């Protein structure tokens, strides 16, 4: 956590902290702060259209201008952007020292070139396990960001499950695979990894149940059977 200035938390909750103390903000302010946290610096016209899509251009621009003014007065040094010499406008952005929790999680999750030890794998699994982005937010622009976030989580959880399997950390591998299956119940690779963890435990009965359940749901929903890659994991058990 950033102890010097502002922290924006958008994973699992929504919270704005100033030097570790919660700051009160209105819903309109939340939406603007969130858009900047997710998308980085943005031109004012784009922000106005994004946050007030059902308003006229004049109304949306006015709403944005009022929100920026209020934030600048109530939450100084949280955002930047405005008039520059010559009459131009800088993009609106969070100030440089604002820490966004999603950015930190994303950086750690995507550090594929880093050789992780057992502690790092455990920390990353804990970070990703219940890391839902902006729960309870349903605006179209947020849903698109949530979809990208979940795909990132899915990919990293699968990679983490494979890493844990290779390291003999079967419980962690299983938990990561289960979380991946929760995110995408139709994902073959996540189910394959889950089957691999049960095979490592010697739990053949659980392997059969998981495979048959997945196979039946695939057949009912899409009219297809699991690929040979996942079928080969259960081998002669069926």
């Amino acid at each position: 956590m950033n102890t010097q200035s502002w922290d924006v938390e958008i994973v699992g909750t929504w919270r704005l902290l100033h030097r570790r103390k919660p700051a009160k903000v209105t819903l309109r302010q939340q939406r603007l702060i969130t858009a900047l946290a997710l998308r980085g610096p943005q031109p004012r016209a784009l922000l106005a259209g994004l946050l007030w899509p059902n308003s006229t251009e004049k109304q949306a621009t006015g709403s944005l201008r009022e929100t920026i003014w209020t934030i600048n007065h109530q939450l100084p040094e949280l955002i930047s952007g405005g008039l520059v010499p010559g009459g131009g406008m800088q993009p609106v952005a969070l100030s440089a020292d604002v820490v966004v929790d999603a950015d930190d999680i994303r950086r750690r999750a995507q550090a594929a070139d880093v050789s992780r030890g057992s502690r790092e794998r455990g920390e990353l699994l804990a970070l990703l396990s219940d890391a839902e982005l902006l729960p309870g937010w349903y605006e179209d622009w947020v849903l698109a960001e949530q979809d990208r976030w979940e795909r990132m989580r899915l990919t990293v959880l699968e990679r983490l499950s494979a890493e844990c399997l290779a390291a003999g950390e079967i419980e962690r591998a299983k938990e990561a695979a289960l979380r991946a299956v929760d995110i995408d119940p139709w994902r073959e690779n996540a189910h394959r990894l889950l089957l691999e963890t049960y095979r490592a435990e010697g739990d053949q009965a659980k392997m059969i149940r998981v495979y048959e359940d997945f196979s039946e749901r695939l057949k009912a929903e899409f009219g297809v059977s699991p690929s040979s890659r996942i079928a080969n994991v259960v081998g002669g058990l069926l």
Side-chain angles (χ1 to χ4, degrees), residues 152-172:
M152 180 277 292
R153 282 181 67 211
L154 177 60
T155 299
V156 178
L157 282 167
E158 288 180 338
R159 188 169 72 232
L160 189 58
S161 180
E163 289 177 13
C164 291
L165 267 172
E169 298 170 357
I170 308 306
E171 280 302 314
R172 281 182 181 168

Side-chain angles (χ1 to χ4, degrees), residues 192 195-196 199 207 228-237:
R192 180 186 62 79
L195 287 170
E196 294 277 9
R199 182 166 68 177
M207 289 178 68
S228 59
R229 188 175 183 221
I230 189 172
N232 288 339
V233 178
V234 294
L237 294 178

